[in-house]
Amino acid sequence: MPAIKLPDQRETKKASIAMIGEWKQQMMEKIAMDDQIAKLLWYDTSDALSRPDLTDDQKAELCDPTSDHRRIYPTRYTNTVAMEQHSFIGLGISGFVPQESYRQFSSKYTMGYLYFFILCDNKIMDIDEGQRHDFLLKRIYELFQDTTGFGMGTLQEGNLMEDWEQNNKFGGYVLMMKVVDMK
């Protein structure tokens, strides 16, 4: 009887580059399922946070490419020019390079950034509690800072920049979260 090769029972670790699609999907779902973020994206009124919570189906629409309520994108930009007043969150992953530690580069580890592009139409920025884009930034930071599941260890804030687009029609932030992973 010929020998049969048994399947390798060890789980192989996927490199960070191979995980980008999965990470974006996890990021979109985590953002959409947050009650405060969902209300700030769904309702364009100043009382958005005091409005009723969204259903799970409504939250799913925030990521659905066929929905008129899509507000969370796996890319930096929306696929159409925004004609109506809304808020948006775009995602990006960039800057993956060998991890550097005091002029020494690692051949086993890589470091990069998960980007959150938070943009609000400047006509709906004001909400009863302050500024819409400030609250979106706060919740995204709270959801992702020090969390696991993206690379090794925990996510850490890498940088934060103010961002204005389309002749200042949209304003907000670009939050970068640093991730370290195997090559």
Side-chain angles (χ1 to χ4, degrees):
M1 179 172 194
I4 299 173
K5 184 177 178 181
L6 296 173
D8 189 355
Q9 299 298 323
R10 294 175 292 171
E11 184 178 320
T12 57
K13 173 87 170 89
K14 289 184 183 176
S16 55
I17 301 301
M19 298 296 293
I20 287 175
E22 188 176 316
W23 286 353
K24 280 186 176 182
Q25 187 62 38
Q26 289 174 6
M27 292 161 63
M28 289 172 62
E29 290 172 6
K30 192 170 188 171
I31 291 169
M33 289 300 133
D34 183 80
D35 286 329
Q36 287 184 339
I37 291 175
K39 288 197 272 188
L40 289 167
L41 295 176
W42 187 274
Y43 302 115
D44 295 326
T45 57
S46 63
D47 64 347
L49 291 174
S50 60
R51 303 279 299 266
D53 287 345
L54 276 64
T55 65
D56 285 346
D57 288 342
Q58 288 173 313
K59 290 177 182 178
E61 281 188 59
L62 293 172
C63 300
D64 184 353
T66 64
S67 172
D68 289 338
H69 287 98
R70 185 178 193 189
R71 303 288 185 273
I72 302 171
Y73 293 85
T75 58
R76 177 178 181 157
Y77 296 105
T78 63
N79 56 354
T80 60
V81 175
M83 301 303 287
E84 298 176 10
Q85 298 169 350
H86 297 300
S87 300
F88 302 95
I89 297 174
L91 305 175
I93 297 179
S94 184
F96 277 82
V97 295
Q99 185 181 21
E100 180 182 2
S101 174
Y102 191 68
R103 298 185 182 160
Q104 292 185 345
F105 292 90
S106 171
S107 61
K108 294 181 182 179
Y109 301 101
T110 185
M111 180 185 77
Y113 295 94
L114 307 180
Y115 287 80
F116 299 88
F117 300 95
I118 303 162
L119 292 172
C120 299
D121 188 297
N122 62 19
K123 292 186 176 161
I124 62 166
M125 279 188 181
D126 292 325
I127 57 173
D128 296 343
E129 295 80 5
Q131 294 285 301
R132 186 180 304 265
H133 60 298
D134 292 342
F135 275 81
L136 287 168
L137 172 66
K138 175 182 176 270
R139 284 303 300 146
I140 289 174
Y141 179 84
E142 291 170 351
L143 284 176
F144 289 94
Q145 177 69 19
D146 293 324
T147 62
T148 60
F150 302 94
M152 301 176 355
T154 60
L155 289 181
Q156 299 294 314
E157 179 187 351
N159 198 357
L160 174 65
M161 298 175 289
E162 193 173 47
D163 189 24
W164 290 90
E165 302 283 341
Q166 294 186 13
N167 293 325
N168 294 333
K169 178 174 174 48
F170 288 92
Y173 300 102
V174 178
L175 175 63
M176 298 166 50
M177 303 296 281
K178 182 169 59 173
V179 61
V180 175
D181 201 12
M182 299 291 285
K183 275 190 169 180

